[in-house]
C-alpha cells in the first residue's frame, strides 16, 4: 500500500518504505494508536509534511524575496540578499534564538525540519528523544533513518496533541496541532481521503 501511495518514497532515503512498513505493526500500538481512522490521519499528515518520502529533510534553498515572505521577522532585506541560496545560513538565521536553539550556534541547521512530521528545533528533537529513547540531539539524522522514521513521526504526532482531533476526524484540528497553522490544508485533506480509502 505504501509503495503504491508513495511511489518515490525511497528516492531520498534508501529503504524508507520498507522501514516504515516493517515497523508499523509495533509502532502504532506502542503509541496507543489502534484506530484505522487515526492511522489514516497520521499517514495523511506525514504524506504532506515529507512529500510522500521525497522531502525527508527541510529544503532551505530560498531566494531573497522568498526569505522575506516566509520569515519577515527574521530577515532584513540586506540579510535576505546576503543569505539567499545558502541553506545553512538561512536555517541558523531563521531558527536560532527560538525552539531552544542557541544564538550563534549551528543549531538552526542541525535541528532543521526532518522526518515524517518535519520535527524542527532543539526543543522538538529533545522532546522526541525523551519520548522515543533515541539520542536525537547528538544524532539528529536518526529521525530519517528507515528503522526509526515511523516511530519518530508517530511520537511527534502524539507529542503535538494530534490524537484527540484525529479520533474526532477533525483534519483542521490535527493540522493546527502538528503544523501550528493550516498551511497546506487542501493537500492534507486530499491525502486524508486517499489514506481513508486505502
Amino acid at each position: 500500500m505504501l509503495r503504491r501511495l508513495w511511489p518515490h518514497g525511497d528516492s531520498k532515503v534508501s529503504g524508507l518504505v520498507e522501514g516504515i512498513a516493517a515497523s508499523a505493526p509495533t509502532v502504532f500500538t506502542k503509541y496507543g494508536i489502534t484506530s484505522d481512522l487515526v492511522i489514516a490521519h497520521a499517514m495523511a499528515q506525514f504524506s504532506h509534511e515529507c512529500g510522500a518520502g521525497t522531502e525527508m529533510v527541510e529544503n532551505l534553498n530560498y531566494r531573497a524575496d522568498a526569505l522575506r515572505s516566509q520569515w519577515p521577522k527574521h530577515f532584513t532585506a540586506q540579510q535576505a540578499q546576503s543569505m539567499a541560496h545558502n541553506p545553512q545560513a538561512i536555517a541558523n538565521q531563521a531558527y536560532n534564538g527560538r525552539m531552544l536553539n542557541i544564538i550563534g550556534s549551528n543549531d538552526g541547521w542541525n535541528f532543521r525540519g526532518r522526518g515524517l512530521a518535519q520535527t524542527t528545533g532543539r526543543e522538538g528533537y529533545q522532546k522526541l528523544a525523551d519520548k522515543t529513547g533515541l539520542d536525537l540531539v547528538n544524532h539528529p539524522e536518526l529521525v530519517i533513518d528507515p528503522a526509526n522514521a515511523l516511530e519518530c513521526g508517530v511520537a511527534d504526532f502524539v507529542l503535538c496533541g494530534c490524537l484527540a482531533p484525529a479520533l474526532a476526524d477533525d483534519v483542521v484540528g490535527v493540522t493546527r496541532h502538528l503544523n501550528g497553522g493550516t498551511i497546506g490544508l487542501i493537500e492534507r485533506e486530499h491525502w486524508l481521503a486517499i489514506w481513508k480509502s486505502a
Side-chain angles (χ1 to χ4, degrees):
M1 177 175 23
L2 191 57
R3 285 201 188 284
R4 180 169 52 82
L5 298 181
W6 290 16
H8 305 290
D10 290 333
S11 64
K12 297 294 172 70
V13 177
S14 180
L16 179 65
V17 169
E18 187 63 36
I20 291 171
S23 60
T26 54
V27 164
F28 285 115
T29 54
K30 177 179 178 179
Y31 290 93
I33 298 175
T34 56
S35 156
D36 286 347
L37 175 64
V38 176
I39 291 171
H41 272 275
M43 292 307 298
Q45 293 290 329
F46 301 157
S47 296
H48 176 75
E49 289 287 339
C50 76
T54 65
E55 298 169 19
M56 292 296 287
V57 179
E58 183 179 8
N59 180 358
L60 290 156
N61 187 15
Y62 284 90
R63 299 181 323 271
D65 61 325
L67 281 175
R68 294 281 291 144
S69 173
Q70 178 74 20
W71 290 292
K73 296 178 182 175
H74 298 282
F75 290 89
T76 64
Q78 183 179 359
Q79 288 171 325
Q81 284 296 329
S82 69
M83 294 181 194
H85 303 294
N86 183 340
Q88 187 168 347
I90 290 168
N92 289 328
Q93 178 66 27
Y95 294 142
N96 281 354
R98 58 196 187 105
M99 300 180 286
L100 297 185
N101 290 342
I102 299 166
I103 294 174
S105 74
N106 215 22
D107 281 359
W109 177 248
N110 291 334
F111 302 114
R112 65 195 183 277
R114 277 194 191 87
L116 300 185
Q118 290 295 295
T119 302
T120 307
R122 177 183 285 272
E123 182 177 26
Y125 280 76
Q126 183 61 63
K127 286 180 178 178
L128 197 54
D130 293 344
K131 187 82 169 169
T132 62
L134 297 167
D135 186 6
L136 303 175
V137 173
N138 291 311
H139 300 282
E141 71 281 357
L142 290 175
V143 172
I144 65 170
D145 184 281
N148 305 318
L150 183 63
E151 179 165 11
C152 289
V154 169
D156 207 353
F157 188 84
V158 171
L159 284 167
C160 288
C162 296
L163 286 181
L167 278 167
D169 201 15
D170 175 10
V171 67
V172 175
V174 173
T175 301
R176 285 189 192 284
H177 278 85
L178 189 67
N179 179 261
T182 56
I183 295 169
L185 182 61
I186 292 171
E187 292 84 1
R188 293 170 201 266
E189 290 171 336
H190 178 69
W191 273 114
L192 181 57
I194 290 170
W195 277 100
K196 281 180 174 180
S197 175

